[in-house]
Amino acid sequence: MNRSELLSRLLVAVGETAVLTGDRVRARSAGIWGQPHTIAAEILVRPADTGQVASVLSICNELDQSVVIHGGLTGVVEGARAENSDLVLSLERLDGVDSIDPIGATLTAGAGTPLATIQEAAAEHGLMFPLDMGARDTATIGGNVATNAGGNRVIRYGMVRSLVLGLEVVLADGTVLSSMNQMIKNNAGYDLKQLFIGSEGTLGVVTRVIVRLSAQPASREIALVGIDDFDRVTRLLGYLNGACGNTLSAYEVMWHDYYSFMTVTRPAPLPPDSAYYVLVEMLGSDPVGDGERFITVLDEAQTMGLIDTAIIAKSGTDEQAIWAIRDDVVSLQELRPMFLFDVSLPIRSVEAYVTDIRAALTKGWPDQQMFVFGHLGDGNVHLAISAGSASGDARKNVEDIVYRPLAALGGSISAEHGIGLEKKSYLDWCRSDAEIGVMRALKNTLDVKGILNPGKVFD
Ligand SMILES: Cc1cc2nc3c(=O)[nH]c(=O)nc-3n(C[C@H](O)[C@H](O)[C@H](O)COP(=O)(O)OP(=O)(O)OC[C@H]3O[C@@H](n4cnc5c(N)ncnc54)[C@H](O)[C@@H]3O)c2cc1C
């Protein structure tokens, strides 16, 4: 491939301000997670609209140029990692909410729009976009779609897959596939958008998104609960599912080690001596009655012996302080090395799984540290493990310990973060040959030359 031909054609297609090269690319951050911290590619293109994305991909496809797609770069599985020979396609200029339909409760936005901007735009119209996560200020809606992000409220609203109504995608050869459906019901043939949700940029570039909004809740109740055994953590979930009806919006669990670590540098709402801490959130429609109802529900849970200790947030500041403990995943990066895992498995198996992992780690590295937390209501736990050194075999050995038990338990090596580069050698530990075969066939059909995010998810 001729680099000067590539550059000159790109400059004609998108203009000088949209093309960065050399040091101007390497000076940019490659994200806060993982290595390297700067972008290794020689060329980065920032198209201004879908037409320009199509032109760039058409040129790259013709010239066999590999393309790595960049959203907000908050991904944690090296899905946006670029090599020197790759061209980076950044969606940062496809940024902004195009329109909101308050009657149909839909919002249309460019793929580069930060999640928080979408949440705020919906709120201005008395509606809510329920997708939420600690990376909300930086993660983009296009990246959320590409990773089928989960987050804090999946228990009630589902993952991104259930929040997207329409997508505009540019295929590897520059074809614009517009599936900008706004309706909840549309069974006219295959639902093509679903192919691209969670495909991690390997099947097409998401350029615009129509999402489904929900009613803005009139009340928000939050409690932090301390419990000393896991059996009651699972029973409390069952009880709240019934007692709160469909208003239970988050059931986030932090194991003792995680809570203690996070409350060293900030006030602890509850003393750090419980085995488990559960963040319970209820979003309702009655600002007066819901608060009383929440207290009654928690009182009953205490009477039933499901809760050892609890504190209810009394103000927005209290709520933020409790959520900040759960959301502050980034500060775990103080640990060196730090390996972050995101697995899912049946809730009934979680505690035995965590206990076995802890024992296996301690056997290999007596001074290991493991912090467990996650969206337990969805059977999703994150393990932040510090063991051995960043170089050498430690990471591989830890991965083996964490991933190997999952198949027998019916679990997954990736609950919500995707596969990227980081997990691809383990994909066949939770997907069959037939499943991976169909994934490959789709890739080969939609991206014949294999230029989009090559080597990500599978080879
Ligand atoms: C503090 C923190 C908290 C987090 N919490 C959660 C959480 O609760 N739940 C969760 O699911 N994730 C979470 N994440 C992970 C991350 O935020 C999500 O994966 C997010 O969806 C990535 O969005 P992004 O815009 O940053 O994408 P990027 O990191 O830029 O890209 C991620 C992948 O998508 C591809 N991609 C990006 N944009 C597009 C596009 N427009 N078209 C096609 N492909 C594209 C990239 O090539 C890459 O493969 C968290 C991360 C951090 C740092």
Side-chain angles (χ1 to χ4, degrees):
M1 193 263 308
N2 182 331
R3 185 169 181 260
S4 63
E5 183 189 351
L6 173 67
L7 269 179
S8 60
R9 288 185 62 182
L10 288 171
L11 288 170
V12 171
V14 295
E16 213 170 305
T17 51
V19 181
L20 308 184
T21 56
D23 289 345
R24 290 179 71 201
V25 180
R26 286 187 291 271
R28 291 166 66 111
S29 166
I32 54 166
W33 216 272
Q35 298 287 341
H37 289 300
T38 52
I39 299 172
E42 287 290 327
I43 304 175
L44 183 146
V45 187
R46 310 156 58 237
D49 55 35
T50 303
Q52 289 196 355
V53 173
S55 303
V56 171
L57 289 182
S58 164
I59 294 167
C60 291
N61 196 50
E62 212 179 297
L63 299 179
D64 292 321
Q65 172 60 52
S66 57
V67 177
V68 172
I69 306 149
H70 279 190
L73 298 178
T74 66
V76 289
V77 292
E78 297 189 59
R81 181 176 171 144
E83 303 302 333
N84 185 259
S85 56
D86 296 321
L87 175 147
V88 169
L89 177 65
S90 169
L91 278 301
E92 65 199 41
R93 290 172 73 205
L94 274 73
D95 173 13
V97 172
D98 298 339
S99 62
I100 294 185
D101 172 2
I103 307 284
T106 66
L107 178 151
T108 306
T113 311
L115 170 60
T117 304
I118 292 182
Q119 292 174 333
E120 285 155 18
E124 279 165 21
H125 286 75
L127 293 162
M128 176 173 76
F129 183 51
L131 178 67
D132 192 39
M133 58 180 69
R136 63 185 75 78
D137 292 327
T138 317
T140 61
I141 190 66
N144 297 152
V145 170
T147 56
N148 185 28
N152 297 335
R153 300 205 177 108
V154 171
I155 191 171
R156 174 151 168 205
Y157 297 96
M159 296 180 75
V160 161
R161 193 175 292 292
S162 42
L163 302 173
V164 174
L165 293 172
L167 278 190
E168 179 185 76
V169 178
V170 183
L171 302 182
D173 66 358
T175 303
V176 178
L177 184 69
S178 181
S179 292
M180 293 293 276
N181 168 68
Q182 305 177 51
M183 294 161 297
I184 291 171
K185 289 185 162 180
N186 185 347
N187 270 352
Y190 298 166
D191 188 358
L192 294 176
K193 68 174 183 289
Q194 296 296 351
L195 276 182
F196 300 94
I197 301 174
S199 68
E200 299 183 53
T202 59
L203 298 182
V205 178
V206 176
T207 46
R208 287 204 304 152
V209 183
I210 300 181
V211 294
R212 182 179 180 181
L213 305 176
S214 295
Q216 178 78 356
S219 71
R220 169 161 133 143
E221 309 300 332
I222 288 175
L224 184 67
V225 169
I227 305 176
D228 278 332
D229 64 271
F230 193 77
D231 177 53
R232 286 185 293 142
V233 172
T234 60
R235 281 164 49 213
L236 178 65
L237 173 62
Y239 166 72
L240 291 176
N241 264 324
C244 299
N246 64 2
T247 60
L248 182 67
S249 53
Y251 194 84
E252 300 287 313
V253 177
M254 298 167 270
W255 270 242
H256 170 81
D257 291 352
Y258 179 90
Y259 183 82
S260 299
F261 180 86
M262 289 297 168
T263 51
V264 167
T265 53
R266 54 164 63 86
L270 291 174
D273 48 19
S274 293
Y276 306 92
Y277 293 84
V278 186
L279 187 164
V280 179
E281 184 189 76
M282 182 177 122
L283 297 176
S285 57
D286 177 359
V288 182
D290 285 339
E292 283 167 27
R293 183 170 158 66
F294 193 57
I295 293 170
T296 307
V297 164
L298 291 177
D299 277 350
E300 273 172 28
Q302 197 143 29
T303 308
M304 291 162 72
L306 297 177
I307 289 177
D308 293 319
T309 170
I311 184 163
I312 295 178
K314 293 193 177 60
S315 64
T317 311
D318 288 355
E319 291 175 6
Q320 279 164 15
I322 293 176
W323 264 116
I325 295 170
R326 167 58 188 87
D327 270 350
D328 189 17
V329 181
V330 173
S331 64
L332 288 168
Q333 289 198 104
E334 284 170 22
L335 307 167
R336 288 282 183 268
M338 201 282 277
F339 309 131
L340 178 69
F341 296 93
D342 158 50
V343 301
S344 58
L345 64 161
I347 296 172
R348 63 178 182 280
S349 308
V350 167
E351 185 53 0
Y353 169 77
V354 169
T355 304
D356 290 352
I357 302 273
R358 203 183 292 280
L361 289 173
T362 307
K363 203 167 155 199
W365 302 273
D367 57 351
Q368 62 82 20
Q369 287 178 283
M370 178 166 84
F371 302 89
V372 187
F373 59 103
H375 317 291
L376 190 86
D378 318 323
N380 177 188
V381 282
H382 299 304
L383 312 169
I385 296 173
S386 187
S389 67
S391 55
D393 290 340
R395 170 153 211 135
K396 252 200 140 4
N397 293 332
V398 172
E399 283 172 348
D400 192 84
I401 290 170
V402 172
Y403 293 144
R404 196 167 286 282
L406 291 168
L409 296 169
S412 170
I413 62 162
S414 178
E416 58 177 10
H417 291 164
I419 297 295
L421 281 179
E422 191 185 283
K423 300 185 178 187
K424 77 170 172 177
S425 52
Y426 300 97
L427 184 64
D428 62 358
W429 287 24
C430 67
R431 294 291 193 195
S432 67
D433 289 349
E435 286 175 302
I436 296 171
V438 172
M439 292 183 202
R440 277 214 176 85
L442 286 168
K443 171 77 176 167
N444 293 340
T445 304
L446 292 173
D447 178 12
V448 176
K449 291 186 165 184
I451 64 160
L452 288 181
N453 273 2
K456 310 283 165 50
V457 185
F458 48 76
D459 285 317

